[in-house]
Amino acid sequence: MDGTDDRSDADAGDAETGAPAPGTVARTEASPGPRPGTDANPEPGRATEAATTAGSRTEAHPGTDARTEPGGSTEPGGSTEPGSRPASDPGTEPNSRPASAPGTEPGSAPEDGSAAPASAGDATPAARATTTPRGRRPVVAALMLGMALAAIDGTIVSTAVPQIVGDLGGFTVFSWLFSGYLLAVTVTLPLYGKLSDTFGRKPVLIAGIILFLVGSLLCAAAWNMAALIAFRIVQGLGGGALQGTIQTIAADLYPLRERPRIQAKLSTVWATSSVAGPVAGGLLAGYADWRWIFLINLPVGAVALWMVVRHLQEPSRPRPAARPRVDWAGALAVFATGALLLTALVQGGVAWPWFSAPSLGLFGASALLAALTVVIERRAAEPVIPGWVWRRRTIASVNLALGAMGLLMVAPTVFLPTYAQSVLGLGPIAAGFVLSVMTLSWPVSAALSDRVYNRIGFRRTAMLGMSAALLILLAFPFLPYPGEAWHPALLMLLLGAALGLFQLPLIVGVQSTVGWAERGTTTASVLFCRQVGQSVGAALFGAIANGVLAARLLDAPVDGLPGDLDAVARALEDPGAVSSAAAEYLRRAVDAAVDHVYVGAAGAAALALLVLITLAPRRFPVIAEPSDSPTAAEPAATSTASEAAPARQDR
C-alpha cells in the first residue's frame, strides 16, 4: 500500500442522503464549518458531512500501532493520549475511525465526498437479523435451502427437454423455458431489493418462496408448452426475490470479518446445484416423470419457508409516521425496459436475425423505455433504482466490474461443454466434469479471500483475482489440438479460484459500505448488473462463434454442412452425418470459434480490470459495525449524537 488515505480520492460533491430509519438518530460529523467546495446549504431532508478538523481520526496501518492525539495527528506506537479516542486494534479495518456511541447511527461517507444517508440500525446489535451464532444456524440452513431452489431450477430442466417436448409439444419455443425464467429473475431484482429495504427482508423472502412454490406447482400441472412457459415466468418472479434477498440477509447476519463464511457457503450451494441440476433432471425425467422436476421443489421449499418464519428475527422498528410508498410506476418501467432488452439479447440471432425488424424494434423500444424510466425515477420520492447507486463510486464501479464478470462467464459455462464434446470427443458427463471443476475451486478461493483482502484491501484483491483470470482466459487458445481433457479442466480449476478471489471481496466490500436501509438495493443492483452481463455475453459471444464458423465453412471440403455452432455440434455427435475429413474440419472450426470466444472473454476481464483501476476508490469506505470494532460498545466520549464521529473504516 502507498500509505495514503484515499477514501474518495478527495472528491467533493453535493450531499447524498436518505431518511434515517425509525428509531435511529441522524447525525453529522462535528466540524467548525463546511469543507471548502461543498454546499453549505443542502436541500431540505439531506444530511451534510463536514470535514473533521477539530475532531480526531485514528489512522492504523498494518503492522503498526496507531494512537491519535487531539487535533487528529497520529503517531505510530504507544498508547492513546488522555482525552483522545481509543486506537484501533488488529481486528479493525486499516485507516478507520472509531465507532460511534451506542444508539447513534454510523454513516458511511460516500466516495464522491458527500454525506451518506442515515442507515437503519447498523449501530446496534438489534439491527441484525438474528443475535447469537446458535440463533443463526437455522436461518443459514433456510438461506441455503432457498438458494438451492433458485440455483438448481436454472439447470434442472435442461436434460428433461426431450421428455417435456415429447409430452407437450412446442419444440420451436422450448428455449423460452430458460429465457422466460431468466428474464423474470433479472428484471425483478431491483424491485425486490427496494422492497426489502422498505418493508424488511423477512416478508419479501417469505413472499418469494411462496411465489416460487406456487409457480412450481403450476409447472407440474402444465397442459401445454405455452402454459409451462407462463408458469416458469411465475417461478422466476419468486426466484428474483430468493436470489437478491438471501444475499442481503447473509450480509445482515454476519459482521464484516465473518461474511466470507456465509458467502462461501452460498457459493458452495450454487456450485453444487449447477452440477447436480442436470443430473437430477435427467434421472427424474428418465425414471419417473418430468413433472417431478417441479414437484420436488415443494417439500424443500416448505422446509425453508417454515425455518424462515420460525427463526428469522428482524429488528423491531417503530411504525413510521408516514406510510411507506412504493414506486410502482418506476417498478413497472424497470420491468418493461429489462424485459424488452433481455428479450432482444436472448432471441436475437436465434429466433430472428440481429438486424431484422424484430431486433431493431425491441432495441429501439427498450431505449425509449430506459429514457422514460430515468424520468420516472428522478421524480419518484422513493425510486426503485435510486440515483445514488450510480453516483457513489464504490457501488457504480462494483456494478460495472461484476457486469463484466457476467460477460466473461458465458465462455466457460456455455461454450466449454460444446468444446469438450465436439473437439475432445467427450461424452456429456465427462464434458460436464470439465466444467464442474471450476465450481470446486471457486468456493474454496472465496472462503479464503478474507485473508487476502484483510491485508491488501478489497480493490487490490479483486484486481489480483481478475488479473489471474485474464491470463487464464488468454491461455485457452494456446491449448494443443485436440489435446487432453485435463488441459481445459486445469484451466477451469484455476479460473474458478481466480474468480472466487475477484467476486466475493467486491460483494462483501460493497455491502459493507452501506447501512441496513440501503443494503437490499445495493445487493440487488450488483446481481442485476451481473445477470445483464450474462445476457449480453450470450448474445455477443454467440454472434462471435457463429461468425467464425461461417467464415471457416466457406472453404469447407464438402457442401451442405451446418452453418451454426449448435447444428455443427449435433452433426459431430452423429458419426454417420458427415465424412471423416469433413468431421475433422468441423472440429477444427469449432476449436477456432471457441478460441475466439475465450479471447473475447479475456477482453471482458480486461474491461473489469480497467473499471477497478480507473473508477473504484483505492479503499472502500466501510461502515464499522458493533462486532467489528472494540469501541462500538464503549461509552461515547461525547455527550450528544451530533458530536460523535461516524464509524467508518476504509479498506
Side-chain angles (χ1 to χ4, degrees):
M1 289 185 290
D2 54 15
T4 60
D5 183 3
D6 40 10
R7 289 181 237 333
S8 46
D9 294 341
D11 291 342
D14 292 335
E16 184 89 14
T17 81
T24 63
V25 180
R27 13 178 217 84
T28 58
E29 203 171 336
S31 169
R35 180 173 48 192
T38 60
D39 189 356
N41 298 302
E43 299 177 17
R46 290 180 176 259
T48 58
E49 179 193 11
T52 52
T53 56
S56 63
R57 174 181 296 174
T58 302
E59 300 287 354
H61 294 274
T64 64
D65 293 326
R67 74 179 177 184
T68 306
E69 297 190 358
S73 61
T74 306
E75 296 181 7
S79 59
T80 308
E81 295 288 342
S84 65
R85 292 178 184 162
S88 59
D89 73 346
T92 61
E93 296 281 342
N95 296 337
S96 63
R97 294 178 186 169
S100 56
T104 62
E105 175 63 34
S108 164
E111 307 77 68
D112 58 3
S114 57
S119 304
D122 268 8
T124 62
R128 298 199 176 280
T130 188
T131 52
T132 64
R134 177 172 295 182
R136 295 178 193 155
R137 292 173 187 170
V139 179
V140 171
L143 297 184
M144 295 176 71
L145 286 176
M147 183 62 77
L149 285 176
I152 203 170
D153 216 72
T155 58
I156 195 172
V157 180
S158 59
T159 51
V161 166
Q163 290 79 8
I164 295 174
V165 171
D167 189 9
L168 301 180
F171 178 78
T172 57
V173 295
F174 82 87
S175 63
W176 276 99
L177 291 176
F178 311 99
S179 301
Y181 181 84
L182 174 65
L183 289 173
V185 168
T186 303
V187 300
T188 54
L189 280 169
L191 174 61
Y192 287 128
K194 184 63 179 179
L195 290 177
S196 72
D197 285 341
T198 304
F199 299 103
R201 327 292 192 216
K202 187 172 182 177
V204 174
L205 182 57
I206 290 174
I209 295 175
I210 293 175
L211 193 57
F212 187 89
L213 295 182
V214 169
S216 299
L217 185 60
L218 292 174
C219 285
W223 53 91
N224 58 32
M225 184 61 74
L228 182 58
I229 290 172
F231 299 148
R232 281 282 287 172
I233 293 175
V234 174
Q235 260 193 318
L237 297 177
L242 290 175
Q243 287 195 28
T245 312
I246 286 173
Q247 292 278 5
T248 306
I249 294 175
D252 292 340
L253 284 174
Y254 289 86
L256 172 60
R257 56 187 164 190
E258 297 182 46
R259 280 177 194 153
R261 182 189 310 172
I262 180 62
Q263 290 290 349
K265 290 180 180 178
L266 295 180
S267 297
T268 303
V269 170
W270 195 273
T272 304
S273 300
S274 65
V275 177
V279 176
L283 291 175
L284 290 173
Y287 295 99
D289 186 270
W290 64 265
R291 298 179 189 273
W292 280 100
I293 289 174
F294 303 105
L295 291 175
I296 200 174
N297 292 333
L298 300 181
V300 177
V303 173
L305 181 63
W306 176 79
M307 295 178 76
V308 169
V309 172
R310 180 177 176 84
H311 296 287
L312 178 58
Q313 302 296 326
E314 288 197 285
S316 57
R317 294 176 293 166
R319 183 172 298 178
R323 183 178 180 181
R325 290 182 292 177
V326 179
D327 179 23
W328 294 113
L332 181 60
V334 170
F335 187 94
T337 303
L340 289 182
L341 176 61
L342 293 178
T343 300
L345 292 171
V346 169
Q347 296 299 307
V350 179
W352 47 71
W354 280 110
F355 295 101
S356 63
S359 280
L360 296 177
L362 285 172
F363 280 119
S366 61
L368 291 175
L369 279 176
L372 178 62
T373 302
V374 171
V375 173
I376 293 174
E377 294 296 85
R378 287 175 66 90
R379 296 180 178 180
E382 293 290 338
V384 173
I385 304 181
W388 53 260
V389 168
W390 294 106
R391 287 196 296 269
R392 297 184 193 175
R393 290 179 59 199
T394 300
I395 302 174
S397 59
V398 169
N399 284 345
L400 294 175
L402 287 178
M405 192 202 78
L407 192 73
L408 72 87
M409 280 299 298
V410 173
T413 57
V414 175
F415 292 93
L416 184 62
T418 300
Y419 171 87
Q421 294 182 67
S422 300
V423 178
L424 302 181
L426 302 179
I429 295 178
F433 174 77
V434 171
L435 174 62
S436 66
V437 293
M438 181 175 68
T439 65
L440 300 177
S441 58
W442 191 316
V444 176
S445 173
L448 299 177
S449 65
D450 63 320
R451 302 186 181 184
V452 183
Y453 67 66
N454 280 331
R455 291 179 177 271
I456 64 175
F458 293 120
R459 173 178 173 267
R460 290 180 178 175
T461 303
M463 290 173 60
L464 177 65
M466 188 51 71
S467 298
L470 173 60
L471 296 177
I472 294 165
L473 293 168
L474 287 175
F476 188 91
F478 294 97
L479 292 179
Y481 175 87
E484 301 292 337
W486 67 267
H487 294 155
L490 177 60
L491 289 184
M492 293 306 100
L493 187 71
L494 297 175
L495 183 63
L499 293 179
L501 201 61
F502 168 79
Q503 177 180 262
L504 188 134
L506 290 183
I507 291 179
V508 171
V510 77
Q511 287 178 330
S512 302
T513 64
V514 295
W516 188 96
E518 297 175 341
R519 193 169 289 144
T521 299
T522 301
T523 303
S525 72
V526 169
L527 299 179
F528 177 78
C529 290
R530 191 181 64 185
Q531 293 281 83
V532 171
Q534 289 179 337
S535 299
V536 173
L540 176 62
F541 294 145
I544 290 174
N546 287 326
V548 173
L549 274 178
R552 295 298 179 98
L553 293 177
L554 286 176
D555 300 325
V558 295
D559 296 329
L561 294 178
D564 63 81
L565 187 61
D566 291 336
V568 169
R570 288 194 297 268
L572 289 174
E573 290 175 1
D574 185 2
V578 293
S579 65
S580 59
E584 177 65 16
Y585 189 86
L586 289 178
R587 288 190 186 94
R588 288 190 175 274
V590 171
D591 179 65
V594 177
D595 285 348
H596 280 74
V597 167
Y598 269 81
V599 171
L607 177 62
L609 270 177
L610 183 64
V611 167
L612 292 177
I613 292 171
T614 60
L615 297 181
R618 281 178 284 181
R619 295 182 184 176
F620 285 18
V622 173
I623 294 177
E625 296 171 345
S627 54
D628 289 327
S629 174
T631 62
E634 296 176 3
T638 55
S639 58
T640 63
S642 62
E643 296 175 47
R648 194 188 76 177
Q649 306 171 341
D650 289 351
R651 172 172 295 175

